[in-house]
Amino acid sequence: MSYIVDNGSTVVFAALMSVWATLFLEGWKRYHAEIAWKWGLLDFVIEEDTVRPEFQYRVKTKRFNPVTQQDEPYLSGKKKCANFFAAMITVLFFMCLVLAVVFGMVVYRVICMQLLASMDNPTVDSLAFLIVSVTAATINLIVIIAMNYFYNSLAHRLTRWECPRTQADFDNSYTFKVFLFQFANYYSSLFYIAFFKGVLSQLPGTKDHDGNVKIAGYRLEGCDPAGCFVELVIQLAIIMCGKQFFSAFVESAYPKVMSLLRKWQLMVPIVETKHQRKERIREESCKKAGREMTRWEADYYLNPTYDQFLFDEYLEMVLQFGFCTLFVAAFPLAPLFAVFNNILEIRLDAYKFLLNAQRPMPAQARNIGVWLKILDVISKFSVTIN
């Protein structure tokens, strides 16, 4: 089975995918430059970013600005560095927590393999590797999804505590933290299987009669005699496909449920406010008059868009790009699953933004910002890994 994904053509395929990742980014830069030129945004520059109200409220020290001739809130460079390093130490600590989860999966595999081997059942023995790999990958996926919400909330709190001056600085800092969390969360187990699992079992130490290293009486986890490729394929397939399935389910069900809940709350308020009473009377008068509500009136009952509503969309695409480039040699079907997911994603996003969400406020931008730098780093990193 391992020969299917680990053969002579794997090297050629990995090289082609590394070249494709580079060409994809260059093609994207060319495309968004064309769009920016058509929309008149090629020379668009924000002359002065608006200072965040939270920055003005929290920063008590002020400094005279010779341009505006006013005293403005000012955060010293020493304070900025202290906040930045404190936030990064917290980020590194929780990234180590992700490694602890990977170690927990290693312990789970060792215990399960011993339990299955103790059954003395030939059928179970032949399927033990597959059972342990699939269950461990599934548990890891559940932990990853659960930790995602915690990491996003933690990154937002750390960024607020860091207190950036402008909204652009806030978005860049928040994006960087979330990407570090998600990168470690999704890819740490894959890196362990691909680069460390077979190596750690060969470290010097107490060995059993088969030559396997033992620590505290327990044998370190090693690769299958055919290599770790099969386990890497199982891990990558379950994490990638499971994440895409869960994201599609959430994007299709959550906006609909929240839209119905919001409509019910507005139509049947527990404590009717003056504004809600006006809205109810206006809607009843429209129904009595026999006319349908206008588009802007109907939008009021939809889910309001939050400030960073595109952040999750960018993050999902960046993580998918990582799955398709970093470990594509182990799972050649990853690009195919990504295509199917993107086709479905287009329809789900269209349904979500057109039928379940209020119209967002438009804003001008030359490009996708810091996400382009992240994609460039992943592209260069994939060349080394493959």
Side-chain angles (χ1 to χ4, degrees), residues 293-312:
M293 288 189 295
T294 60
R295 179 71 255 184
W296 67 269
E297 291 174 331
D299 281 351
Y300 179 77
Y301 291 96
L302 302 179
N303 297 321
T305 55
Y306 53 96
D307 294 336
Q308 296 174 327
F309 69 99
L310 288 178
F311 179 84
D312 295 334

Side-chain angles (χ1 to χ4, degrees), residues 117-331:
S118 63
M119 293 182 179
D120 294 331
N121 189 328
T123 305
V124 175
D125 289 341
S126 61
L127 298 175
F129 172 77
L130 183 61
I131 294 173
V132 172
S133 299
V134 172
T135 55
T138 305
I139 295 174
N140 194 16
L141 174 64
I142 295 173
V143 174
I144 287 172
I145 293 175
M147 295 298 288
N148 276 347
Y149 297 98
F150 171 75
Y151 287 145
N152 290 343
S153 177
L154 177 64
H156 192 269
R157 288 177 178 271
L158 288 175
T159 308
R160 289 185 59 190
W161 179 78
E162 194 177 339
C163 198
R165 182 176 181 272
T166 63
Q167 187 62 39
D169 295 337
F170 182 92
D171 294 340
N172 292 338
S173 180
Y174 176 67
T175 301
F176 178 69
K177 292 182 181 65
V178 171
F179 176 73
L180 286 180
F181 281 138
Q182 301 291 9
F183 187 89
N185 199 23
Y186 278 100
Y187 301 136
S188 57
S189 60
L190 302 177
F191 274 101
Y192 166 74
I193 296 174
F195 299 106
F196 299 104
K197 183 176 180 180
V199 177
L200 293 179
S201 61
Q202 304 299 324
L203 293 175
T206 305
K207 298 186 178 182
D208 57 12
H209 61 279
D210 294 329
N212 297 307
V213 179
K214 299 181 69 176
I215 296 179
Y218 292 94
R219 189 183 71 180
L220 282 180
E221 186 185 26
C223 290
D224 188 77
C228 292
F229 247 64
V230 175
E231 186 175 353
L232 182 61
V233 170
I234 295 173
Q235 186 83 7
L236 180 57
I238 291 179
I239 291 179
M240 179 181 176
C241 298
K243 174 190 175 299
Q244 292 178 348
F245 176 79
F246 179 78
S247 299
F249 173 76
V250 171
E251 288 193 10
S252 60
Y254 180 77
K256 187 66 176 178
V257 172
M258 294 304 297
S259 180
L260 293 175
L261 181 61
R262 175 178 171 82
K263 185 178 295 186
W264 178 80
Q265 289 177 342
L266 292 174
M267 294 179 64
V268 190
I270 299 176
V271 179
E272 190 176 44
T273 62
K274 185 177 180 180
H275 177 70
Q276 290 173 335
R277 183 173 178 273
K278 289 182 179 180
E279 293 295 331
R280 180 175 58 82
I281 294 175
R282 180 184 53 78
E283 183 182 0
E284 291 176 354
S285 62
C286 290
K287 291 181 179 179
K288 291 180 180 179
R291 70 175 182 88
E292 296 183 356
M293 288 189 295
T294 60
R295 179 71 255 184
W296 67 269
E297 291 174 331
D299 281 351
Y300 179 77
Y301 291 96
L302 302 179
N303 297 321
T305 55
Y306 53 96
D307 294 336
Q308 296 174 327
F309 69 99
L310 288 178
F311 179 84
D312 295 334
E313 306 296 332
Y314 281 125
L315 180 62
E316 185 176 356
M317 292 295 103
V318 168
L319 291 175
Q320 184 187 94
F321 182 75
F323 282 124
C324 292
T325 55
L326 295 177
F327 300 98
V328 69
F331 188 45

Side-chain angles (χ1 to χ4, degrees), residues 326-346:
L326 295 177
F327 300 98
V328 69
F331 188 45
L333 292 178
L336 181 62
F337 282 105
V339 170
F340 291 152
N341 174 76
N342 290 342
I343 294 174
L344 178 63
E345 187 78 15
I346 291 173

